[in-house]
């Protein structure tokens, strides 16, 4: 833990611990490159991070603090023929329009919660009273605390327009469902893992394949998304997608069931009929299949997850991808990591570290040292002013001031009930909300239950995402008001049963889908990793990482399987106690590893149905759960 | 699993962390304990996440102990959450010949407690190892001091160990496992997490059961 100097030479220096950067780090380290992986933040995973509730509150405050960058002269560290290229140290543009709303009571209503938490110590109001203060920050970000104001107030903020207070009577006439107070959210804060991005893993997508192929999967566990929902005509409906679902569905008529089965079976193969629709909207194709409104809606919005003007070939490709992913792990095509998506980059970082990668958080790169003649980056100067030479430099897009025009809109809600209560309260739901008006953005919503380890029992964590057209609050608050209840909701009589929003926050995040790996007027051995893109899956980041890896090491294997620790067998010669030498260890190790693979190929039975699966499965089916019987 | 008939053997999987400053002997202790090996030559830990030790605890209990070494992140104390996740016990190691490594013990313990907790919110059981005791110069017994330190810092206890001469390594592990087992009586893990998915062990049942239409 001691702060000491870093070695002064690495093969690859990587700044930023987002998903693509972390995959590159693991891949390089795995094949023997000396990797230095830095992040200027105090946490892993950059804009892919997940936070405890308290961690998130800190993060929100940090977003509002403007960082000042000291410019220093590093020219003394230059050698003949070199010049400096300064990196931007701040990434202020990647998160904007951050707004926080708290709708639950400050403290528990019954018992006087002892305010052990510093955030609550200044609260003097009675719990029933609501205080609504809107703070306009100097940087145009607004933070609204309903019910919880003073805590986050820092000098320099000016409370602006106060909204009317809902009457105490109204709040008391609320349903009897006991709500968690803000104090309880803070107290239980460590049991939340709130992701900045909202994505899922397609069970046959490139991230799942990579996790399996590399054995990084050993660091993570997943939950199935248990159901696909869609919001239609003011109702939440379950989308039948597997054969079992179709048969079990109570909303579908018998003829619809037949039609849907026929369609799903037939669309897997490409036909001439389909080709005739190439270039024309998928919606037209679906219409002409005489499926009816219901099925058309399910197929377009929830299964293909495309828009009304998506071309047929694209719509069909998405539909097939969805169907192919069904049943690998469960009834829907999607997986979600236990403890949140922020785990995934960290899993790759761990792999990098295990193979010798060096990690430093709160540590940045100020500038690059570029060779004038070759236009190659020879070294970097870190935030402690140390010159560290490297053959390649990989950097997150925020540090090179790449212009990111596309933004994604996000909202995260902590609610007290599921949007569609069912037999089990432990459902993970993927919800599509088609645009309210034509041309508007489709909202994707993921509702997580407590067994995903992202929220406390009795609450749900709801992630909303869409392409931004305005500020996050403008884009998403209409959807939130439509599907949830807050203390601001009107017509209180109507909305019983809708989940209540305890706390939520809105923000826009730069969408990295258009950021190029190369160019940006950077040296040729510098590669840029984009931040999270707006799509549901992880294909963008995985592709990008593989591309960068092959630029750096054209002849190396990308993420070959790491040996299973349980299979490392030390050679008999060394097995004797007290043996002083074991030089052969590394070699034996690799040998075991190859043996293991060869054996594996024989051992894994190939079924015709599962051809592609076996190619990417280096592991034996070893059961390492606790308490096997 | 619930209940399980008497004849059945209970099998536990415990993740145990081994932390402490660079060079105190973490890797050596793990190698000694798991592989009965010791090497004088310094070698950074490469390519190994954890080592597995299988203990026949008693006639009805099998314990699989995963000992997690801290890999390349150790130097600056920036371990990922992956490292801490679901650990149920820890060894904090220092080197008796280097005072500074003892100074760092509190920092490591504090870091540990801030990153991982038991399901009930308590800190995970931790044992302090005073390693390289084969090289200890003075014989003055500061046991009382160490006992007090352990109490204050929240360690279950401490052991003078030597990975080189194989002193107290098994004893320390046994002591920690006893405490983990005592904590683990309820064993909620498998029950509440039964439907978690590991990507390398695909649920064949689901595959045949549903499948696309
Ligand atoms: C990945 C990561 C990101 C961080 N980001 C921030 C940050 O942005 N801002 C900040 O102030 N501090 C951050 N920290 C520091 C850390 O969260 C501090 O220790 C925190 O201030 C303590 O909060 P806590 O006690 O509420 O959480 P803790 O209880 O210490 O939990 C920390 C994290 O570990 C996980 N965790 C806890 N117990 C277990 C367990 N038994 N099994 C598996 N996982 C467990 C939690 O889910 C949580 O994500 C981060 C730490 C990590 C490891
Ligand atoms: N004399 C002695 N040397 C030890 C002992 N344990 C480890 N060492 C030596 O200390 C050095 C560092 O050990 P290592 O296990 O790599 O430490 P780590 O960095 O904590 O993993 C190596 O040279 C070991 O041989 C011990 O018990 N006695
Ligand atoms: Mg070591």
């Amino acid at each position: 833990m001691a702060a000491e100097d870093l070695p002064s030479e690495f093969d690859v220096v990587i700044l930023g611990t987002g998903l693509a950067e972390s995959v590159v780090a693991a891949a390089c380290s795995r094949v023997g490159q000396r990797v230095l992986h830095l992040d200027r933040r105090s946490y892993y995973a950059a804009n892919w991070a997940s936070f405890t509730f308290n961690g998130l509150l800190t993060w929100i405050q940090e977003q509002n603090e403007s960082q000042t960058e000291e410019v220093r002269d590093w020219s003394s560290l230059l050698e003949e023929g070199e010049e400096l290229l300064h990196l931007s140290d701040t990434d202020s543009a990647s998160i904007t329009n951050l707004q926080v709303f708290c709708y639950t009571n400050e403290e528990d209503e019954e018992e006087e919660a002892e305010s052990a938490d510093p955030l609550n110590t200044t609260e003097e109001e009675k719990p029933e009273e609501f205080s609504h203060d809107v703070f306009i920050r100097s940087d145009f970000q607004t933070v609204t605390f309903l019910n919880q104001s003073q805590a986050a107030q820092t000098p320099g903020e000016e409370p602006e327009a106060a909204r009317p207070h809902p009457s105490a009577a109204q709040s008391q006439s609320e349903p009897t469902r006991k709500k968690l107070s803000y104090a309880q959210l803070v107290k239980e804060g460590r049991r939340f893992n709130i992701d900045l991005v909202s994505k899922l893993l397609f069970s046959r997508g490139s991230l799942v394949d990579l996790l399996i192929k590399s054995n990084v999967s050993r660091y993570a566990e997943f939950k199935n998304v248990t159901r696909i929902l869609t919001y239609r005509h003011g109702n939440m409906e379950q989308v039948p997608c597997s054969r079992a679902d179709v048969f079990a569905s109570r909303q579908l008529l018998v003829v619809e069931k037949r039609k849907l089965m026929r369609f799903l079976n037939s669309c897997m193969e490409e036909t001439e009929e389909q080709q005739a629709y190439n270039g024309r909207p998928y919606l037209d194709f679906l219409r002409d299949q005489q499926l009816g409104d219901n099925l058309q809606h399910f197929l377009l919005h929830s299964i293909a997850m495309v828009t009304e003007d998506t071309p047929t070939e694209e719509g069909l490709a998405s539909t097939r991808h969805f169907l192919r992913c069904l049943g690998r792990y469960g009834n829907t095509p999607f997986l979600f990591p236990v403890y949140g998506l922020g785990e995934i980059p960290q899993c790759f970082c761990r792999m990098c570290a295990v193979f010798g990668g060096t990690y430093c958080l709160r540590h940045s790169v100020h500038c690059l040292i570029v060779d004038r003649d070759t236009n190659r980056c020879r070294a970097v100067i870190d935030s402690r002013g140390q010159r560290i030479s490297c053959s390649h430099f990989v950097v997150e897009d925020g540090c090179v001031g790449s212009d990111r025009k596309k933004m994604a809109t996000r909202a995260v809600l902590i609610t007290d009930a599921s949007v569609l209560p069912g037999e089990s309260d432990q459902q993970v739901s993927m919800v599509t909300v088609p645009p309210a008006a034509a041309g508007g953005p489709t909202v994707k919503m993921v509702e997580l239950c407590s067994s995903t380890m992202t929220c406390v029992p009795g609450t749900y964590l709801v992630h909303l995402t869409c392409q931004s057209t305005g500020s996050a609050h403008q884009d998403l608050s209409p959807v939130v008001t439509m599907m949830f209840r807050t203390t601001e909701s009107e017509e209180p009589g109507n909305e019983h049963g809708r989940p209540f929003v305890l706390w939520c926050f809105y923000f826009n995040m730069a969408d990295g889908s258009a950021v190029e790996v190369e160019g940006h007027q950077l040296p040729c051995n510098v590669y840029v990793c984009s931040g999270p893109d707006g799509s549901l899956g992880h294909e963008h980041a995985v592709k990008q990482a593989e591309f960068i890896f092959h630029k750096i090491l054209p002849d190396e294997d990308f993420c070959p399987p790491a040996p299973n620790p349980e299979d490392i067998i030390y050679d008999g010669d060394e097995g004797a106690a007290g043996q002083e030498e074991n030089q052969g260890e590394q070699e034996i190790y690799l040998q075991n590893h190859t043996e293991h693979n060869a054996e594996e190929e024989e051992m894994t039975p190939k079924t015709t149905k599962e051809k592609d699966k076996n190619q990417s499965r280096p592991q034996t089916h070893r059961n390492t759960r606790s308490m096997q019987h | 699993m619930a209940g399980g008939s008497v004849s059945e053997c209970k099998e536990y999987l415990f993740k145990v962390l081994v932390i402490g400053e660079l060079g105190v002997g973490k890797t050596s202790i793990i190698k000694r304990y798991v592989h009965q090996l010791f090497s004088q030559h310094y070698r950074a830990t490469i390519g190994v996440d954890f080592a597995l030790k299988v203990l026949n605890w008693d006639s009805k209990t099998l314990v699989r102990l995963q000992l997690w070494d801290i890999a390349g992140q150790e130097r600056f104390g920036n371990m990922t959450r992956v490292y801490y996740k679901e650990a149920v016990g820890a060894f904090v190691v220092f080197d008796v010949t280097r005072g500074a490594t003892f100074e760092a013990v509190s920092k490591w313990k504090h870091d540990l407690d801030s990153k991982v907790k038991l399901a009930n919110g308590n800190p995970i059981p931790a044992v302090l190892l005073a390693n390289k005791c084969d090289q200890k110069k003075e014989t003055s017994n500061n046991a009382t001091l160490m006992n007090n330190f352990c109490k204050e810092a929240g360690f279950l206890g401490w052991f003078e160990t030597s990975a080189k001469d194989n002193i107290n390594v098994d004893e320390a592990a046994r002591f920690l496992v006893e405490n983990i087992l005592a904590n683990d009586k309820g064993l909620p893990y498998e029950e509440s997490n039964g439907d978690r998915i590991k990507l390398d062990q695909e649920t064949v049942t689901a595959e045949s059961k549903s499948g696309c239409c």
Side-chain angles (χ1 to χ4, degrees), chain A residues 50 66 96 127 188 207 259 273 283 363 390 468 483 500 554 573 619:
Chain A
S50 56
S66 55
T96 56
E188 300 274 8
L207 183 55
K259 277 184 185 167
E273 188 203 353
L283 185 63
H363 203 117
C390 61
S468 61
M483 286 189 283
F500 182 82
D573 288 347
Q619 284 296 305

Side-chain angles (χ1 to χ4, degrees), chain A residues 303-530:
Chain A
I303 293 182
M305 292 180 288
V306 296
T307 63
E308 304 205 331
D309 44 18
T310 304
T312 300
E313 62 275 21
E314 222 176 280
L316 277 167
S318 309
T319 305
R320 288 185 195 122
H321 185 45
F322 183 103
L323 294 175
R324 263 197 305 272
C325 290
L326 280 179
R328 186 177 197 183
Y329 297 107
N331 271 334
T332 75
F334 306 115
L335 294 173
F336 182 83
V338 176
Y339 294 109
L341 285 161
E343 290 295 291
I344 304 293
Q346 294 188 64
C347 292
F348 286 96
C349 292
R350 170 75 189 172
M351 183 61 82
C352 174
V354 164
F355 281 90
T358 301
Y359 276 80
C360 280
L361 301 181
R362 296 172 210 87
H363 203 117
S364 190
V365 168
H366 278 312
C367 42
L368 310 183
I369 295 176
V370 184
D371 183 306
R372 259 192 223 112
D373 295 334
T374 59
N375 188 34
R376 286 180 72 84
C377 170
R378 270 193 192 165
V380 300
I381 296 174
D382 76 355
S383 46
R384 299 206 187 126
Q386 190 186 344
R387 179 181 166 131
I388 299 168
S389 49
C390 61
S391 315
H392 299 274
F393 181 61
V394 179
V395 60
E396 62 180 19
D397 61 359
C399 294
V400 291
S402 61
D403 45 49
R404 292 165 302 192
K405 292 184 192 86
K406 236 172 123 183
M407 296 296 277
T409 278
R410 294 270 294 117
V412 184
L413 282 52
I414 300 172
T415 69
D416 72 340
S418 170
V419 289
L420 185 64
E423 278 159 37
S424 160
D425 64 354
Q426 294 297 309
Q427 301 268 9
V428 183
S429 312
M430 159 77 205
V431 190
T432 47
V433 186
T442 299
V443 177
K444 287 184 189 123
M445 185 165 113
V446 176
E447 184 189 75
L448 303 168
C449 59
S450 61
S451 64
T452 61
M453 308 304 271
T454 58
C455 56
V456 297
T459 67
Y460 291 82
L461 193 63
V462 181
H463 286 278
L464 294 100
T465 315
C466 69
Q467 241 178 51
S468 61
T469 55
S471 79
H473 187 257
Q474 285 163 356
D475 286 345
L476 286 176
S477 64
V479 177
V480 171
T481 326
M482 196 163 69
M483 286 189 283
F484 300 90
R485 223 154 33 92
T486 67
T487 50
E488 291 170 310
S489 299
E490 282 149 35
E491 355 153 36
N494 260 341
E495 47 211 19
H496 281 245
R498 276 200 243 158
F500 182 82
V501 180
L502 302 169
W503 187 91
C504 69
F505 85 121
Y506 294 87
F507 63 100
N508 292 101
M509 185 191 280
D511 179 331
S513 55
V515 176
E516 296 292 328
V517 167
E518 294 170 294
H520 309 275
Q521 289 158 334
L522 290 168
C524 57
N525 57 342
V526 173
Y527 312 95
V528 178
C529 290
S530 61

Side-chain angles (χ1 to χ4, degrees), chain A residues 44 219 343 574 579 589, chain B residues 11 37-38 47 49 78 81:
Chain A
Y44 278 98
Y219 302 129
E343 290 295 291
E574 293 172 348
Q579 198 77 30
Y589 191 83
Chain B
E11 197 173 315
L37 295 171
F38 179 77
D49 263 304
N78 294 319
R81 224 161 44 165

